[in-house]
């Protein structure tokens, strides 16, 4: 019932104000004048609010009304001058540019209010509080409103009600003023607003629209270490947790006999947890070797047990190699084995069933979840290999979600027992740290040894190749500069209001689509400059670059191939300079 | 070695002696009597395994036999008309994991029965018709000679007059068939749902056209229903098939059977306890539905018991006192149940016995042997009573249907006395009419009578006499039967009063009521005598394995949780002094520079948003982990890069092209 009543009062207010506004706007053609009544329709607003909320302190309401009422006739220039200085140092020069500011601000306010309305309908009233837009000179004009709202801001439903009334009344102004106040207040209070959210809430909070405000800082090129520097630094580094890590390892090795028992009982074992598990598998392999040596077929004989060790993380590990290694144990040499993978597997399994070895063949597999072993036939083949009673698979898994690799059927075949084997040991063999970081930051160009490396390669290439590389760099720079120009045109003027901010931020996303140079374009340029005469020649030149990892290529969403040199703008400029200069 | 892909392990030469020393120290580990325990485990488990195997075979023996009969009864090869391919639609149910073993068993059955060829195809082997045929032919060919595909052309092209056949030509199959004269060529499609319907239709078409030369029989494994399988095929393909439906026993039924034979049966030397049973069954129901997994879970429980509990040695029946180390007795005296037992004895004033138990290993040993025996009896009686209860409920057709497994679990946790399920059943017995009671007595014949402490036969004979003496055809009713009650409505002072009224009982009914009453009392007594709390038994720790801990971690690991925990609070694993969380309990340790670099970076990562500026991350990292000393920055940077690379390796980070030097967050902790 209450809400219905409120609605009605809304309607009353609405029917009276908009018409007035429109007439006024029609009378006064100056844009900043138009803003005046919107800013301060004091009596009406206070009335409307008083109807709605009785609980709010009267004094503040009155104050705001009085304040606005006084200022209603005077131009805002006064207040602007008064208040702009503290908020933005750059605004000292603005007085003469006042009309544009106001116009722009107004325009953006309209847009914003529209957006706000949309957001509210989509997300509910709460989204107001998330509007984290910053400085706006006009906000200062309604400072009084803000103060008042800070008091009311404690009471969330009230805000909603106010919005309901006031947005239709003076849409642009009200919508702008309020969220600004609340948003800013919030921001000042705590830079990382919500604490101790449940994980899912945190996910949504961090993924909310416009929630990703990160600085534009970048790492300087010298900052990141290259391989030599990295290894040098790591060599001097002494981990003060060494004894604890050693103790962890010691703890895990107490379970060796248990694991052997489990393997003997026909289970396979999979270790997981943080840290490289190679130290464990190494020790376990040694332990298992000793254990087998003490068993019947090897005791006192010259024969030694055969344990297959596979490093899944090494690039290029294939099922074929794994099977061949297993085959080398169970099949006498010089026996012809099938070529095809599936028949080789079937052959091995048959062989194992028909003439079983004296004990199950242990396979130690480091990183069963490595990218090289994830592709389609490999997991299922591994599973059917592991399912054989005369194969003992002892493997480790690094990634947190590795069980997702296997469906129920494969899991049943693997017959895994899982053990937490957190070691905190560094992933020395598994990761190439420098390379990974460069890739992560899109700086794989550093792989060739940076600018100098590229120069070195180029010097060894024919003139044509250098020209092609120069064209590519110039084109790529041109694309980058074009982006920058767009940015400059919109964002450099004194009217850097939130609207432009947004454009800047979208511009930052843009390069993703336009990164690099289209293959066709590059080819035509190259032909024009007589670098090559045919596509074959062009390809040959590009291949050389590819081989030295000096360029990268990718198909974009439209399917067109794009090529680019994996360097930053500064480095590209430097390269272009080198190329055009006489250093070559 | 670490960068080599695959190799055969060979021990480092110099390390030989160290390895030996290690071996010796590990032999001294607290594995008292391990070989004996291992033997005990093998003996006991082999019994269980046999039971499991029998149950499994029992479970689908009839289905397998039916299918085998169907295959051999299918149209004889010399039949003139080749109208349709005989097809078996095997409704194998939704538990896909058990399909594989089922089809393996089916294959063995079909092959052993007659000279049949059994070719099993899975969806992976048939992405299109060509590959499917190739694989099919390869499977046949592998039977003849274990050679590669280059020799595969031989069967078809043995004579030079013929052109060389392509490797997906069914001509190969024909050649093979001419040579081997298989009675049937059974092609089993294990997971028909995963095949492209078009491939199946083409295959059926093709097989049909060869049916005059090759005696095909098709078997389709269906996880959904025969109707939905039919819907996927075209009308023409359906005309080529002559189908028959076979229902495979669903895995949950088999699980129930397995449970009753391996856990809730009367002669089980080592039982798994109610908590673990509940866990295993829940896992079956909610996650895996896999028979193999059930027996694995059971096996692992047995393994854990015999491996980790040195007292499990008392489960071996042929044990003599002199074989045992005194440690074992010392351990026994520390058992909870021993203490309880001894305290009880002290209360009842048997102090000298207690003294003897504490002082003499020999005396203790005799007592242990005696108690292991009696404890087993008690547990068997309990299991027997649970079975009886389940039988009673079934015979009286009580709803809801409560499976034996849940009855047993309740009984084994000592919750049965006074539980609603027991009261309800007793009430139902009181109310039962004579025909139902007859069925109930008849069903007792199936129960193992060793632990049935009363004689149902006596009641059965009495009841038969009563029924025979009954002149009416209607069954006799007891006085508690609802139908003997009538409600009387009286209106007094404008209020309605309801009153129950017992109908007058006939002579026979009275006699019957008397019988029911006696039976009820006796069975009630039986239940209250047998449904004890097994955990109160002396040596219950030995007789029953009920630890959830190794089972849960080993079968349902939480790798992601483990990694998140190790990074968010490394102290939990490292246990070092420097990174301890201080006074704050149950909270993650505050960030400190002493933590491992990756842990620090991970916690910063948790604080940041979905998009992370690496430059800012570096400054934050440097502020925490870095030294004041500027020269050390390259070391800090190395650690930073290493940590960043590790996070990437763990899949927590992804490159982002949205902004320069930004990375995208991939995982939210605890999500």
């Amino acid at each position: 019932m209450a809400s219905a009543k409120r609605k009605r009062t809304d309607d009353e207010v609405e029917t009276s104000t908009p018409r007035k506004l429109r007439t006024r706007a029609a009378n006064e053609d100056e844009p900043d004048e138009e803003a005046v009544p919107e800013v301060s329709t004091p009596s009406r607003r206070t009335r409307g609010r008083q109807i709605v909320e009785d609980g709010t302190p009267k004094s503040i309401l009155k104050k705001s009304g009085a304040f606005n009422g006084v200022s209603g006739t005077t131009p805002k220039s006064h207040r602007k001058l008064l208040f702009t200085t503290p908020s933005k140092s750059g605004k000292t020069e603005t007085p003469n540019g006042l009309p544009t500011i106001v116009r722009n601000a107004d325009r953006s306010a309209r847009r914003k209010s529209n957006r706000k309305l949309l957001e509210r309908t989509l997300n509910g009233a709460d989204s107001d509080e998330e509007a984290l837009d910053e400085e706006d000179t006009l906000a200062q004009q309604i400072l009084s409103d803000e103060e008042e709202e800070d008091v009311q801001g404690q009471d969330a439903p009230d805000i909603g009600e106010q919005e309901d009334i006031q947005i239709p009344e003076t849409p642009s102004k009200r919508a702008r003023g309020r969220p600004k106040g609340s948003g800013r207040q919030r921001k000042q209070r705590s830079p990382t607003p919500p604490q101790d959210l449940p994980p899912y809430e945190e996910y949504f909070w961090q993924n909310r629209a416009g929630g990703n405000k990160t600085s534009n800082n970048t790492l300087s090129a010298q900052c990141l270490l290259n391989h030599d520097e990295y290894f040098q630094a790591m060599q001097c580094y002494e981990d003060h947790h060494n004894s604890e890590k050693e103790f962890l390892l010691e703890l895990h090795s107490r379970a060796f006999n248990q694991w052997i028992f489990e393997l003997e009982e026909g289970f396979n074992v999979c270790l997981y947890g943080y840290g490289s598990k190679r130290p464990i598998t190494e020790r376990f392999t040694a332990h298992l070797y000793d254990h087998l040596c003490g068993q019947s077929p090897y005791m006192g004989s010259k024969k030694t047990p055969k344990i297959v060790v596979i490093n899944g993380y090494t690039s290029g590990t294939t099922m074929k190699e794994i099977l061949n290694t297993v085959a080398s144990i169970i099949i006498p040499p010089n026996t012809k084995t099938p070529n095809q993978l599936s028949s080789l597997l079937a052959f091995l399994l048959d062989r194992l069933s028909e003439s079983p070895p004296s004990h199950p063949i242990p396979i130690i597999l480091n990183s069963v979840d490595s990218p090289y072993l994830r592709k389609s036939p490999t997991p299922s083949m591994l599973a059917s290999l592991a399912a054989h009673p005369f194969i003992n698979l002892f493997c480790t898994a690094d990634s947190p979600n590795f069980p997702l690799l296997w469906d129920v059927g494969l899991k049943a075949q693997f017959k895994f027992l899982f053990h937490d084997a957190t070691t905190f040991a560094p992933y020395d063999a598994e990761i190439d740290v420098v390379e990974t970081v460069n890739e992560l930051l899109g700086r794989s160009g550093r792989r060739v040894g940076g600018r100098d490396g590229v120069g070195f390669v180029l010097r060894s290439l024919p003139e044509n190749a250098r020209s092609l590389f120069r064209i590519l760099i110039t084109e790529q720079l041109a694309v980058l500069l074009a982006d920058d120009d767009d940015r400059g045109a919109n964002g450099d003027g004194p009217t850097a209001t939130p609207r432009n901010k947004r454009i800047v931020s979208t511009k930052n996303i843009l390069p993703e689509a336009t990164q690099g140079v289209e293959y066709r374009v590059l080819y035509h340029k190259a032909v024009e400059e007589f670098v090559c005469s045919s596509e074959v020649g062009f390809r040959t030149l590009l291949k050389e670059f590819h081989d030295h990892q000096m360029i990268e290529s990718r198909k974009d969403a439209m399917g067109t191939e794009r090529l680019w040199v994996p360097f930053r703008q500064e480095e590209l400029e430097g390269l272009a300079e080198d190329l055009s200069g006489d250093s070559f | 070695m670490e960068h080599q892909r695959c190799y055969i392990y060979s021990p480092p030469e110099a390390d030989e002696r160290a390895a030996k020393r290690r071996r010796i120290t590990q032999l001294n580990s607290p594995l008292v009597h391990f070989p004996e325990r291992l033997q005990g485990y093998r003996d006991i488990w082999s019994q269980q395994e046999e039971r499991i195997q029998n149950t499994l075979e029992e479970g689908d023996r009839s289905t397998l036999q039916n299918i085998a009969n169907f295959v051999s009864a299918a149209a004889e090869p010399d039949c003139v008309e080749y109208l349709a391919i005989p097809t078996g639609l095997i409704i194998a149910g939704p538990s896909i994991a058990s399909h594989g073993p089922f089809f393996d068993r089916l294959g063995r059955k079909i092959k052993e029965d007659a000279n049949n060829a059994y070719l099993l195809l899975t969806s992976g082997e048939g992405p299109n018709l060509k590959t499917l045929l190739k694989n099919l032919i390869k499977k046949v060919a592998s039977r003849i000679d274990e050679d590669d595909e280059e020799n595969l052309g031989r069967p078809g092209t043995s004579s030079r007059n013929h052109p060389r056949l392509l490797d997906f030509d069914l001509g190969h199959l024909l050649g093979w068939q001419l040579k081997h004269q298989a009675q049937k060529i059974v092609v089993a499609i294990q997971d028909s749902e995963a095949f492209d319907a078009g491939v199946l239709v083409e295959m059926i078409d093709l097989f049909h056209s060869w049916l005059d030369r090759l005696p095909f029989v098709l078997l389709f494994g269906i996880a959904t229903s025969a109707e939905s399988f039919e819907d996927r095929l075209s009308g023409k393909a359906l005309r080529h098939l002559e189908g028959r439906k076979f229902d495979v026993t669903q895995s949950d039924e088999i699980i129930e059977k397995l449970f009753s034979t391996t856990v809730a049966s009367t002669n089980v030397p080592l039982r798994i306890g109610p908590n673990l049973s509940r866990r295993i069954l829940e896992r079956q129901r909610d996650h895996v539905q896999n028979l193999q997994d059930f027996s694995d879970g059971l096996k692992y429980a047995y393994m854990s018991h015999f491996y980790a509990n040195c007292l499990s040695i008392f489960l071996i029946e042929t044990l003599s006192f002199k074989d045992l180390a005194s440690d074992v007795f010392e351990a026994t005296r520390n058992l909870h149940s021993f203490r309880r037992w001894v305290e009880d004895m002290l209360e009842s004033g048997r102090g000298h016995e207690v003294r003897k138990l504490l002082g003499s290993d020999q005396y203790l040993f005799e007592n242990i042997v005696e108690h292991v025996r009696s404890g087993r009896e008690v547990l068997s009686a309990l299991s027997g009573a649970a079975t009886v209860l389940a039988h009673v409920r079934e015979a009286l057709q009580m709803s809801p249907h409560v499976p034996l497994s849940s009855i047993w679990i309740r009984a084994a946790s000592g919750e049965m006395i006074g539980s609603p399920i027991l009261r309800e059943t007793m009430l139902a017995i009181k109310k039962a009419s004579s025909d139902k009671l007859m069925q109930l007595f008849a069903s007792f014949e199936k129960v193992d009578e060793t632990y049935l402490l009363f004689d149902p036969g006596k009641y059965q004979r009495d009841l038969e006499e009563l029924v025979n003496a009954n002149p009416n055809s209607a069954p006799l009713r007891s006085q508690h039967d609802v139908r003997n009650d009538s409600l009387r409505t009286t209106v007094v002072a404008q209020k309605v009063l309801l009153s129950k009224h017992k109908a007058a009982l006939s002579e026979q009914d009275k006699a019957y009521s008397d019988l029911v009453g006696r039976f009820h009392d006796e069975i009630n007594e039986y239940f209250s005598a047998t449904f004890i709390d097994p955990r109160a038994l002396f040596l219950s720790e030995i007789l029953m394995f009920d630890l959830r801990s190794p089972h849960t971690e080993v079968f349902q690991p939480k790798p992601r949780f483990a990694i998140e925990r190790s990074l968010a609070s490394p102290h939990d694993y490292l246990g070092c002094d420097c990174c301890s969380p201080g006074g704050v309990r149950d909270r993650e340790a505050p960030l400190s520079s002493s933590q491992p670099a990756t842990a620090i970076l991970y916690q910063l990562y948790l604080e940041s948003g979905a998009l992370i500026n690496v430059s800012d991350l570096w400054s934050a990292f440097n502020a925490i982990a870095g030294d004041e000393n500027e020269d050390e920055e390259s070391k800090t940077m190395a650690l930073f890069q290493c940590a960043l690379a590790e996070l990437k390796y763990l899949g927590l980070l992804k490159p982002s092209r949205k902004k320069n030097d930004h990375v995208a967050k991939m995982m939210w902790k605890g999500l």
Side-chain angles (χ1 to χ4, degrees), chain A residues 206 215 262 274 568, chain B residues 300 616 646 661 668:
Chain A
Q206 293 186 347
S215 74
E262 289 169 358
Y274 168 69
R568 297 297 177 87
Chain B
Y300 196 71
D616 292 347
E646 282 188 7
D661 279 347
W668 275 258

mmCIF file with all atom_site columns, all heavy atoms in Angstrom, chain A residues 206 215 262 274 568, chain B residues 300 616 646 661 668:
data_model
loop_
_atom_site.group_PDB
_atom_site.id
_atom_site.type_symbol
_atom_site.label_atom_id
_atom_site.label_alt_id
_atom_site.label_comp_id
_atom_site.label_asym_id
_atom_site.label_entity_id
_atom_site.label_seq_id
_atom_site.pdbx_PDB_ins_code
_atom_site.Cartn_x
_atom_site.Cartn_y
_atom_site.Cartn_z
_atom_site.occupancy
_atom_site.B_iso_or_equiv
_atom_site.pdbx_formal_charge
_atom_site.auth_seq_id
_atom_site.auth_comp_id
_atom_site.auth_asym_id
_atom_site.auth_atom_id
_atom_site.pdbx_PDB_model_num
ATOM 1  N N   . GLN A 1 206 ? 34.266 -9.017  -8.409  1.00 0.00 ? 206 GLN A N   1
ATOM 2  C CA  . GLN A 1 206 ? 35.456 -8.680  -9.175  1.00 0.00 ? 206 GLN A CA  1
ATOM 3  C C   . GLN A 1 206 ? 35.201 -8.679  -10.674 1.00 0.00 ? 206 GLN A C   1
ATOM 4  O O   . GLN A 1 206 ? 35.962 -8.100  -11.432 1.00 0.00 ? 206 GLN A O   1
ATOM 5  C CB  . GLN A 1 206 ? 36.578 -9.653  -8.831  1.00 0.00 ? 206 GLN A CB  1
ATOM 6  C CG  . GLN A 1 206 ? 37.029 -9.465  -7.400  1.00 0.00 ? 206 GLN A CG  1
ATOM 7  C CD  . GLN A 1 206 ? 38.226 -10.293 -7.053  1.00 0.00 ? 206 GLN A CD  1
ATOM 8  O OE1 . GLN A 1 206 ? 38.599 -11.186 -7.797  1.00 0.00 ? 206 GLN A OE1 1
ATOM 9  N NE2 . GLN A 1 206 ? 38.821 -10.005 -5.921  1.00 0.00 ? 206 GLN A NE2 1
ATOM 10 N N   . SER A 1 215 ? 45.616 0.443   -12.957 1.00 0.00 ? 215 SER A N   1
ATOM 11 C CA  . SER A 1 215 ? 46.421 1.570   -13.406 1.00 0.00 ? 215 SER A CA  1
ATOM 12 C C   . SER A 1 215 ? 47.045 1.238   -14.760 1.00 0.00 ? 215 SER A C   1
ATOM 13 O O   . SER A 1 215 ? 47.030 0.103   -15.209 1.00 0.00 ? 215 SER A O   1
ATOM 14 C CB  . SER A 1 215 ? 47.515 1.849   -12.391 1.00 0.00 ? 215 SER A CB  1
ATOM 15 O OG  . SER A 1 215 ? 48.506 0.853   -12.500 1.00 0.00 ? 215 SER A OG  1
ATOM 16 N N   . GLU A 1 262 ? 50.363 -50.486 -2.209  1.00 0.00 ? 262 GLU A N   1
ATOM 17 C CA  . GLU A 1 262 ? 49.177 -50.150 -3.010  1.00 0.00 ? 262 GLU A CA  1
ATOM 18 C C   . GLU A 1 262 ? 49.361 -50.550 -4.466  1.00 0.00 ? 262 GLU A C   1
ATOM 19 O O   . GLU A 1 262 ? 48.438 -51.059 -5.104  1.00 0.00 ? 262 GLU A O   1
ATOM 20 C CB  . GLU A 1 262 ? 48.884 -48.653 -2.893  1.00 0.00 ? 262 GLU A CB  1
ATOM 21 C CG  . GLU A 1 262 ? 48.345 -48.274 -1.524  1.00 0.00 ? 262 GLU A CG  1
ATOM 22 C CD  . GLU A 1 262 ? 48.304 -46.780 -1.290  1.00 0.00 ? 262 GLU A CD  1
ATOM 23 O OE1 . GLU A 1 262 ? 48.741 -46.023 -2.185  1.00 0.00 ? 262 GLU A OE1 1
ATOM 24 O OE2 . GLU A 1 262 ? 47.864 -46.369 -0.218  1.00 0.00 ? 262 GLU A OE2 1
ATOM 25 N N   . TYR A 1 274 ? 50.830 -28.790 -4.230  1.00 0.00 ? 274 TYR A N   1
ATOM 26 C CA  . TYR A 1 274 ? 51.670 -27.718 -4.735  1.00 0.00 ? 274 TYR A CA  1
ATOM 27 C C   . TYR A 1 274 ? 53.144 -28.093 -4.632  1.00 0.00 ? 274 TYR A C   1
ATOM 28 O O   . TYR A 1 274 ? 53.569 -28.711 -3.658  1.00 0.00 ? 274 TYR A O   1
ATOM 29 C CB  . TYR A 1 274 ? 51.408 -26.422 -3.955  1.00 0.00 ? 274 TYR A CB  1
ATOM 30 C CG  . TYR A 1 274 ? 52.437 -25.367 -4.227  1.00 0.00 ? 274 TYR A CG  1
ATOM 31 C CD1 . TYR A 1 274 ? 52.493 -24.765 -5.477  1.00 0.00 ? 274 TYR A CD1 1
ATOM 32 C CD2 . TYR A 1 274 ? 53.379 -25.019 -3.278  1.00 0.00 ? 274 TYR A CD2 1
ATOM 33 C CE1 . TYR A 1 274 ? 53.458 -23.825 -5.759  1.00 0.00 ? 274 TYR A CE1 1
ATOM 34 C CE2 . TYR A 1 274 ? 54.346 -24.079 -3.554  1.00 0.00 ? 274 TYR A CE2 1
ATOM 35 C CZ  . TYR A 1 274 ? 54.382 -23.487 -4.798  1.00 0.00 ? 274 TYR A CZ  1
ATOM 36 O OH  . TYR A 1 274 ? 55.342 -22.567 -5.080  1.00 0.00 ? 274 TYR A OH  1
ATOM 37 N N   . ARG A 1 568 ? 57.241 -3.923  -27.914 1.00 0.00 ? 568 ARG A N   1
ATOM 38 C CA  . ARG A 1 568 ? 56.519 -2.731  -27.503 1.00 0.00 ? 568 ARG A CA  1
ATOM 39 C C   . ARG A 1 568 ? 56.788 -1.600  -28.478 1.00 0.00 ? 568 ARG A C   1
ATOM 40 O O   . ARG A 1 568 ? 57.745 -1.635  -29.246 1.00 0.00 ? 568 ARG A O   1
ATOM 41 C CB  . ARG A 1 568 ? 56.993 -2.278  -26.124 1.00 0.00 ? 568 ARG A CB  1
ATOM 42 C CG  . ARG A 1 568 ? 56.735 -3.242  -25.049 1.00 0.00 ? 568 ARG A CG  1
ATOM 43 C CD  . ARG A 1 568 ? 55.240 -3.410  -24.944 1.00 0.00 ? 568 ARG A CD  1
ATOM 44 N NE  . ARG A 1 568 ? 54.921 -4.398  -23.947 1.00 0.00 ? 568 ARG A NE  1
ATOM 45 C CZ  . ARG A 1 568 ? 54.781 -4.108  -22.662 1.00 0.00 ? 568 ARG A CZ  1
ATOM 46 N NH1 . ARG A 1 568 ? 54.950 -2.874  -22.261 1.00 0.00 ? 568 ARG A NH1 1
ATOM 47 N NH2 . ARG A 1 568 ? 54.464 -5.027  -21.802 1.00 0.00 ? 568 ARG A NH2 1
ATOM 48 N N   . TYR B 2 300 ? 40.397 -51.262 -0.349  1.00 0.00 ? 300 TYR B N   1
ATOM 49 C CA  . TYR B 2 300 ? 41.309 -50.299 0.253   1.00 0.00 ? 300 TYR B CA  1
ATOM 50 C C   . TYR B 2 300 ? 41.089 -50.220 1.760   1.00 0.00 ? 300 TYR B C   1
ATOM 51 O O   . TYR B 2 300 ? 42.036 -50.034 2.523   1.00 0.00 ? 300 TYR B O   1
ATOM 52 C CB  . TYR B 2 300 ? 41.154 -48.924 -0.385  1.00 0.00 ? 300 TYR B CB  1
ATOM 53 C CG  . TYR B 2 300 ? 42.321 -48.033 -0.056  1.00 0.00 ? 300 TYR B CG  1
ATOM 54 C CD1 . TYR B 2 300 ? 43.553 -48.285 -0.631  1.00 0.00 ? 300 TYR B CD1 1
ATOM 55 C CD2 . TYR B 2 300 ? 42.212 -46.992 0.842   1.00 0.00 ? 300 TYR B CD2 1
ATOM 56 C CE1 . TYR B 2 300 ? 44.647 -47.509 -0.316  1.00 0.00 ? 300 TYR B CE1 1
ATOM 57 C CE2 . TYR B 2 300 ? 43.304 -46.207 1.163   1.00 0.00 ? 300 TYR B CE2 1
ATOM 58 C CZ  . TYR B 2 300 ? 44.518 -46.476 0.573   1.00 0.00 ? 300 TYR B CZ  1
ATOM 59 O OH  . TYR B 2 300 ? 45.604 -45.716 0.889   1.00 0.00 ? 300 TYR B OH  1
ATOM 60 N N   . ASP B 2 616 ? 51.932 -3.217  -11.084 1.00 0.00 ? 616 ASP B N   1
ATOM 61 C CA  . ASP B 2 616 ? 51.496 -2.920  -9.726  1.00 0.00 ? 616 ASP B CA  1
ATOM 62 C C   . ASP B 2 616 ? 51.705 -4.116  -8.820  1.00 0.00 ? 616 ASP B C   1
ATOM 63 O O   . ASP B 2 616 ? 52.061 -3.979  -7.648  1.00 0.00 ? 616 ASP B O   1
ATOM 64 C CB  . ASP B 2 616 ? 50.022 -2.514  -9.720  1.00 0.00 ? 616 ASP B CB  1
ATOM 65 C CG  . ASP B 2 616 ? 49.822 -1.175  -10.406 1.00 0.00 ? 616 ASP B CG  1
ATOM 66 O OD1 . ASP B 2 616 ? 50.841 -0.497  -10.647 1.00 0.00 ? 616 ASP B OD1 1
ATOM 67 O OD2 . ASP B 2 616 ? 48.672 -0.826  -10.711 1.00 0.00 ? 616 ASP B OD2 1
ATOM 68 N N   . GLU B 2 646 ? 55.014 -19.791 -11.885 1.00 0.00 ? 646 GLU B N   1
ATOM 69 C CA  . GLU B 2 646 ? 54.373 -20.940 -11.240 1.00 0.00 ? 646 GLU B CA  1
ATOM 70 C C   . GLU B 2 646 ? 52.859 -20.782 -11.235 1.00 0.00 ? 646 GLU B C   1
ATOM 71 O O   . GLU B 2 646 ? 52.127 -21.736 -11.470 1.00 0.00 ? 646 GLU B O   1
ATOM 72 C CB  . GLU B 2 646 ? 54.893 -21.099 -9.805  1.00 0.00 ? 646 GLU B CB  1
ATOM 73 C CG  . GLU B 2 646 ? 56.254 -21.738 -9.778  1.00 0.00 ? 646 GLU B CG  1
ATOM 74 C CD  . GLU B 2 646 ? 56.717 -22.085 -8.374  1.00 0.00 ? 646 GLU B CD  1
ATOM 75 O OE1 . GLU B 2 646 ? 55.931 -21.945 -7.418  1.00 0.00 ? 646 GLU B OE1 1
ATOM 76 O OE2 . GLU B 2 646 ? 57.879 -22.491 -8.247  1.00 0.00 ? 646 GLU B OE2 1
ATOM 77 N N   . ASP B 2 661 ? 50.800 -5.258  -20.220 1.00 0.00 ? 661 ASP B N   1
ATOM 78 C CA  . ASP B 2 661 ? 51.308 -5.777  -18.954 1.00 0.00 ? 661 ASP B CA  1
ATOM 79 C C   . ASP B 2 661 ? 50.205 -6.185  -17.997 1.00 0.00 ? 661 ASP B C   1
ATOM 80 O O   . ASP B 2 661 ? 50.333 -6.023  -16.787 1.00 0.00 ? 661 ASP B O   1
ATOM 81 C CB  . ASP B 2 661 ? 52.212 -4.737  -18.263 1.00 0.00 ? 661 ASP B CB  1
ATOM 82 C CG  . ASP B 2 661 ? 53.597 -4.768  -18.855 1.00 0.00 ? 661 ASP B CG  1
ATOM 83 O OD1 . ASP B 2 661 ? 53.888 -5.725  -19.586 1.00 0.00 ? 661 ASP B OD1 1
ATOM 84 O OD2 . ASP B 2 661 ? 54.373 -3.834  -18.607 1.00 0.00 ? 661 ASP B OD2 1
ATOM 85 N N   . TRP B 2 668 ? 39.082 -18.315 -8.524  1.00 0.00 ? 668 TRP B N   1
ATOM 86 C CA  . TRP B 2 668 ? 38.743 -17.644 -7.275  1.00 0.00 ? 668 TRP B CA  1
ATOM 87 C C   . TRP B 2 668 ? 38.808 -18.674 -6.174  1.00 0.00 ? 668 TRP B C   1
ATOM 88 O O   . TRP B 2 668 ? 38.242 -19.768 -6.300  1.00 0.00 ? 668 TRP B O   1
ATOM 89 C CB  . TRP B 2 668 ? 37.358 -17.010 -7.391  1.00 0.00 ? 668 TRP B CB  1
ATOM 90 C CG  . TRP B 2 668 ? 37.430 -15.684 -8.015  1.00 0.00 ? 668 TRP B CG  1
ATOM 91 C CD1 . TRP B 2 668 ? 37.371 -14.487 -7.357  1.00 0.00 ? 668 TRP B CD1 1
ATOM 92 C CD2 . TRP B 2 668 ? 37.616 -15.368 -9.399  1.00 0.00 ? 668 TRP B CD2 1
ATOM 93 N NE1 . TRP B 2 668 ? 37.504 -13.459 -8.253  1.00 0.00 ? 668 TRP B NE1 1
ATOM 94 C CE2 . TRP B 2 668 ? 37.646 -13.957 -9.505  1.00 0.00 ? 668 TRP B CE2 1
ATOM 95 C CE3 . TRP B 2 668 ? 37.759 -16.108 -10.548 1.00 0.00 ? 668 TRP B CE3 1
ATOM 96 C CZ2 . TRP B 2 668 ? 37.822 -13.307 -10.718 1.00 0.00 ? 668 TRP B CZ2 1
ATOM 97 C CZ3 . TRP B 2 668 ? 37.934 -15.467 -11.755 1.00 0.00 ? 668 TRP B CZ3 1
ATOM 98 C CH2 . TRP B 2 668 ? 37.970 -14.079 -11.824 1.00 0.00 ? 668 TRP B CH2 1
#
